[in-house]
Each structure stands twice: as structure tokens, then as C-alpha cells.
Amino acid sequence: MHGPALWQQLQSCALVIERVLKGASATQVLDDVRADWRPGVQSLSYVVMRHLGTAQALRQFLAPKAPKPAADALLLTALALLVDERQRYDPHTLVNQAVEAAKKQRSTLPLASFINGCLRRCLREQAALMGQVMQQPQARWNHPAWWIARLQHEQPEHWETILQANNQQAPMVLRVNRRHLSRDAYLAQLQEAGIDAWPQDEHGVMLLKPRPVSEIPGFVQGQVSVQDTAAQLAAPLLLQGMNLGSSSRVLDACAAPGGKTAHLLELCDAPVTALEIDAQRAEKITQGLQRLGLKAEVITADAANTDSWWDGELFDAMLVDAPCTASGIVKRHPDVRWLRRETDIAQLAAQQSRLLQALWPLLKPGGRLLYCTCSVFRAEGQDQIDAFLTHNTQARLLPSPGHLMPVLGVDAPKLTDNPQDVHDGFYYALLEKVRA
Ligand SMILES: C[S@@+](CC[C@H](N)C(=O)[O-])C[C@H]1O[C@@H](n2cnc3c(N)ncnc32)[C@H](O)[C@@H]1O
């Protein structure tokens, strides 16, 4: 069976880009792409989203008045792929196929010769045009200008490395289910299957090449789950030195899709209550746990509205993996940077604060709460916890990782030689409730 022609892939990819630019998440949009085309269209649209700032600046230069959204998305798709440093396609073939894609669709057909003209001019004058547009931060870094400015302010020494890391492809990391086998036993299994992999922290394994979960040894049997190295820090951090048993109570307050709930259950025998506000997402927790042979009490509720779900028994340990901008997982979700608005940060910080305030009274004296977000912005991390500590004198900050940036301690060019240092951006603060 033949795969789609390049023009068909470009057409599907442009549709993804058009909808993302209108505010839809790429994951949601990709669900509508026919299943056998999805992996190819996803990988192509991710490349485009990683070059969208440059493509938008070029399009602005070539055509100051943007064409209608469908034609604009196709033009941006082709421009992004033309400037992609990996040059996946011969530039002339790419232009021909983009024009073919325009001709084959009613919404873009009238603009096919306009698209042709823009792309051919780009081919002729690419070096000069790039020299011009790369002066603009959004084109240079492929992130919105407000995002770049914020990082420059908050991370004056690391902002360039963080942005560079965000534009790379995320590695695939697995978490080994300790209840089934050890990390080293699983690594041996991978070696036998001829799959190159490295150990990561306590329970992690990084694969040299990402692959569908159906091709991962032991996945269906619940031996492993997909989870980034930074996210794998949560459960051990919360549980370390706590000695929780079957009579203890653990709360995972923002649990879906359930990666950290599962890790908690893999590591301790305490019952876990998993809360999730979104009923559809809550189902994913149960499905994931079934695959791993684990069980939690899954409740659909607003965690901050404690009257609606709490039975009055205090918790020994709580994980608050709060909703956030997801600015730390841009490598994995390249659409995030184009979907967020700067005003989202304050709105999300208010939700995070509401969750912390509402849940803290439910923690036993001597108990621990781990607050985390997959954000690199201080308002959702350090500033949030500083404010909380100021207003809650019973809260003590225990040694915690704080802000983990997408790249830690290595320069971007070294990344491919040193996969151990590649992880998502996260914030972690471990709080203890001081006994009165
Ligand atoms: C960062 S995700 C959690 C990821 C999860 N801990 C994991 O590791 O798989 C945050 C989750 O919190 C949920 N959420 C947002 N506001 C909530 C609230 N007030 N109460 C409970 N869940 C909430 C979101 O729907 C989302 O699924």
C-alpha cells in the first residue's frame, strides 16, 4: 500500500497549522487526521510549528497582507519546511508539491499562483530574505516575542539554551514498573530486542529512537509507561523517607492522565485517591492503571471545592501537579508556544494558588505536599511557593529541585552526545506541614 503523496501530506499538515493558529490544540486536531496518515502528518506539522516564527516573518515579508487562512497555512507550511535546517525535501519538489496541494483544494485553488509566486521568490532570494527576517526575535527563536522577553528577564544566563532546547525533538523516555521488574532487567530485555537505550534516574530508560508504544517490549503487559525523566521525579520525591503503608492516605489532586498516580502506586502500598476535574480525562487514569495492574480511587471533582469530594479524613501525602501553561514541555508539544497568551500565566497562577490554599488544610501535621508544574515561568513555580510560604506559617520548604529547565548543565550542541541531560522543564517544591 502506498502512503500519501507529498502534496497530500502538505495539505493535511496545513489544515493542522490552520486550526492551531485558530487556537485548537495539535493533539486534538491530529485526532481528526486519518489514522494511517497521522504519524507522518504529526511529524511534519511538528517540524512546521518549530519553524513557524521564521515562516510567519518570511510570509510577512513576501506578502504583507496575509491571504485567507487556508492559503496562509499552506504557504506557512511550505516556507517552514524550506527553511528547516534538515532539508527533508528537495526545495523545488517542495514548492511544486505545495502548489499542487493548493490546486487540489477549492479553498486554496484561487491562490495557487500567488503561493507559487511567493515560494519561488523565497527560493531565489532565500539568503537575503533570511538575513532580514532573522533580525526579529520571533523569527530567530521561533517563539512569541512576549515569551522570549519573559525568559530573557527571568533567566538572563540561560534563556538562549532553553529556547534552543524547546526547538528540539523530545526523546522518548519510559518508566519501568518496579512492581514487575527492575530497570536493569528491563534494559537487558531491550538490549536483547536490539533496542538502544540508556538508564535515567531511578526508574527511567531513554530510547535512542522514539517508536510507537505497540512496538515497545512489555508495554501492553504493564512493564513500562511513557513518562519524561523530569516527571518521573515526582513520586520518589513525595514518598522519600515517608514510610507510608496500607493505612496511610495519599492524594493526587490533579491526576489525569494518571502518569504520576501510577508511579505513586508502583512505589508504595498506600491507597491513592486520584482527583480530576475533567470526566473524559479521568477515564484515562483508570485505563492506564488497568494496563499496569494497579488501582486507585478515581473521583471526578474540582479538587479546590473540597466540600464536593472530601470525606473528612486527613492525608499523609499530597501531590498537586497543577494545571499550568505547559511552557516546560514545548519540545513534546510544539503547538503550546503558539497557543498561549501572556495573560494565561496570571490566570493559571490564580488557579494554582486556589488549589494550594484549598488543599493544604487537608494535610496531616507532619504530612508532605509536593507542588509541581511543567512550566518554566516563575509565576507558576518559585513565586507561587514564595507567596504560599509567606501566608502559611505551618508550611516548611524541604530540599527541593525548584525550577528545572529543559536543558540542565549542558550546551545544546552536546545534547546528542549526552542524552542523559535531556528532560522537560518542571518546577518542584516539597512542603512539610510543621506540627503545631
Ligand atoms: C498537569 S495535568 C496533570 C498530569 C498528571 N498528574 C500526570 O502526571 O499524568 C493537570 C490536570 O489537572 C486537571 N485539573 C485542572 N484543574 C483542576 C481542579 N480544579 N481539580 C482537579 N483537577 C484539575 C486538568 O484537567 C489536568 O488533567
Side-chain angles (χ1 to χ4, degrees), residues 238 242 244 249 314-318 360 362-370 394-396 398 430-435:
L238 179 59
M242 283 213 79
L244 301 181
R249 282 168 58 90
L314 295 174
F315 290 95
D316 298 87
M318 280 184 192
W360 183 250
L362 279 52
L363 187 65
K364 272 186 195 165
R368 289 179 183 181
L369 182 153
L370 180 65
Q394 252 194 300
R396 185 167 76 99
L398 297 176
L430 183 61
L431 305 175
E432 184 180 49
K433 191 179 242 184
V434 178
R435 291 174 208 272

Side-chain angles (χ1 to χ4, degrees), residues 60 71 78 89 128 369 391 415:
Q60 175 71 24
Y89 308 102
L369 182 153
H391 296 107
L415 283 175

Side-chain angles (χ1 to χ4, degrees), residues 253-260 275-278 281 301-303 321-323 351 354-355:
C254 299
K260 299 185 189 72
L275 295 179
E276 170 56 46
I277 200 165
D278 179 324
R281 285 176 64 80
D302 174 354
D321 185 11
Q351 282 185 47
R354 175 174 166 264
L355 280 162

Side-chain angles (χ1 to χ4, degrees), residues 98-171:
V99 174
E100 190 67 14
K103 285 182 183 163
K104 298 264 193 209
Q105 197 166 273
R106 204 183 308 157
S107 59
T108 48
L109 174 61
L111 290 165
S113 66
F114 164 80
I115 290 174
N116 186 35
C118 289
L119 292 176
R120 295 211 183 268
R121 182 173 164 209
C122 187
L123 278 185
R124 281 193 311 270
E125 301 173 25
Q126 189 162 348
L129 287 170
M130 288 294 273
Q132 299 261 7
V133 302
M134 288 310 229
Q135 312 285 333
Q136 302 170 25
Q138 176 156 330
R140 167 81 179 82
W141 297 105
N142 286 299
H143 282 68
W146 67 263
W147 188 306
I148 301 165
R150 199 171 184 104
L151 271 188
Q152 283 173 330
H153 175 70
E154 293 190 4
Q155 301 290 337
E157 286 172 24
H158 304 297
W159 65 275
E160 289 171 302
T161 317
I162 296 167
L163 293 173
Q164 257 174 299
N166 283 351
N167 285 330
Q168 284 168 348
Q169 202 184 334

Side-chain angles (χ1 to χ4, degrees), residues 2-312:
H2 293 293
L6 180 55
W7 69 263
Q8 289 172 306
Q9 290 190 58
L10 294 172
Q11 212 173 50
S12 293
C13 178
L15 200 60
V16 174
I17 300 303
E18 183 184 348
R19 290 179 61 191
V20 166
L21 288 174
K22 286 180 179 160
S25 93
T27 314
Q28 202 184 328
V29 177
L30 283 161
D31 270 351
D32 295 340
V33 175
R34 51 183 274 193
D36 53 337
W37 289 17
R38 199 175 298 139
V41 173
Q42 171 169 324
S43 98
L44 207 57
S45 60
Y46 278 20
V47 174
V48 172
M49 285 184 259
R50 292 186 182 113
H51 295 86
L52 199 53
T54 316
Q56 283 172 325
L58 280 172
R59 200 271 290 131
Q60 175 71 24
F61 214 89
L62 295 162
K65 186 172 178 293
K68 291 216 168 98
D72 195 27
L74 184 55
L75 184 52
L76 291 172
T77 296
L79 288 170
L81 293 170
L82 275 180
V83 298
D84 169 25
E85 49 294 335
R86 278 190 53 198
Q87 289 276 305
R88 285 164 173 78
Y89 308 102
D90 164 68
H92 289 94
T93 308
L94 183 62
V95 171
N96 290 340
Q97 290 290 294
V99 174
E100 190 67 14
K103 285 182 183 163
K104 298 264 193 209
Q105 197 166 273
R106 204 183 308 157
S107 59
T108 48
L109 174 61
L111 290 165
S113 66
F114 164 80
I115 290 174
N116 186 35
C118 289
L119 292 176
R120 295 211 183 268
R121 182 173 164 209
C122 187
L123 278 185
R124 281 193 311 270
E125 301 173 25
Q126 189 162 348
L129 287 170
M130 288 294 273
Q132 299 261 7
V133 302
M134 288 310 229
Q135 312 285 333
Q136 302 170 25
Q138 176 156 330
R140 167 81 179 82
W141 297 105
N142 286 299
H143 282 68
W146 67 263
W147 188 306
I148 301 165
R150 199 171 184 104
L151 271 188
Q152 283 173 330
H153 175 70
E154 293 190 4
Q155 301 290 337
E157 286 172 24
H158 304 297
W159 65 275
E160 289 171 302
T161 317
I162 296 167
L163 293 173
Q164 257 174 299
N166 283 351
N167 285 330
Q168 284 168 348
Q169 202 184 334
M172 187 170 202
V173 186
L174 306 176
R175 184 192 73 238
V176 179
N177 183 352
R178 205 187 63 164
R179 290 198 185 262
H180 283 223
L181 76 175
S182 72
R183 185 197 63 192
D184 292 346
Y186 186 69
L187 273 169
Q189 214 169 289
L190 288 181
Q191 203 179 8
E192 226 167 85
I195 297 176
D196 286 327
W198 289 265
Q200 290 281 292
D201 282 333
E202 269 183 89
H203 311 113
V205 165
M206 185 184 283
L207 302 186
L208 178 64
K209 284 197 196 124
R211 53 184 67 220
V213 288
S214 57
E215 290 173 20
I216 290 177
F219 182 84
V220 176
Q221 296 80 0
Q223 290 187 342
V224 287
S225 302
V226 178
Q227 189 178 45
D228 184 71
T229 313
Q232 289 190 35
L233 292 177
L237 250 173
L238 179 59
L239 298 175
Q240 67 182 354
M242 283 213 79
N243 215 1
L244 301 181
S246 55
S247 58
S248 314
R249 282 168 58 90
V250 177
L251 177 71
D252 185 352
C254 299
K260 299 185 189 72
T261 313
H263 200 188
L264 286 166
L265 287 162
E266 285 166 12
L267 299 184
C268 82
D269 292 326
V272 175
T273 302
L275 295 179
E276 170 56 46
I277 200 165
D278 179 324
Q280 260 184 337
R281 285 176 64 80
E283 273 174 34
K284 296 204 166 140
I285 308 174
T286 314
Q287 286 162 7
L289 292 180
Q290 262 166 7
R291 181 182 59 82
L292 293 163
L294 300 167
K295 243 192 165 141
E297 182 190 19
V298 179
I299 304 176
T300 302
D302 174 354
N305 183 6
T306 54
D307 287 348
S308 70
W309 62 269
W310 188 43
D311 63 6

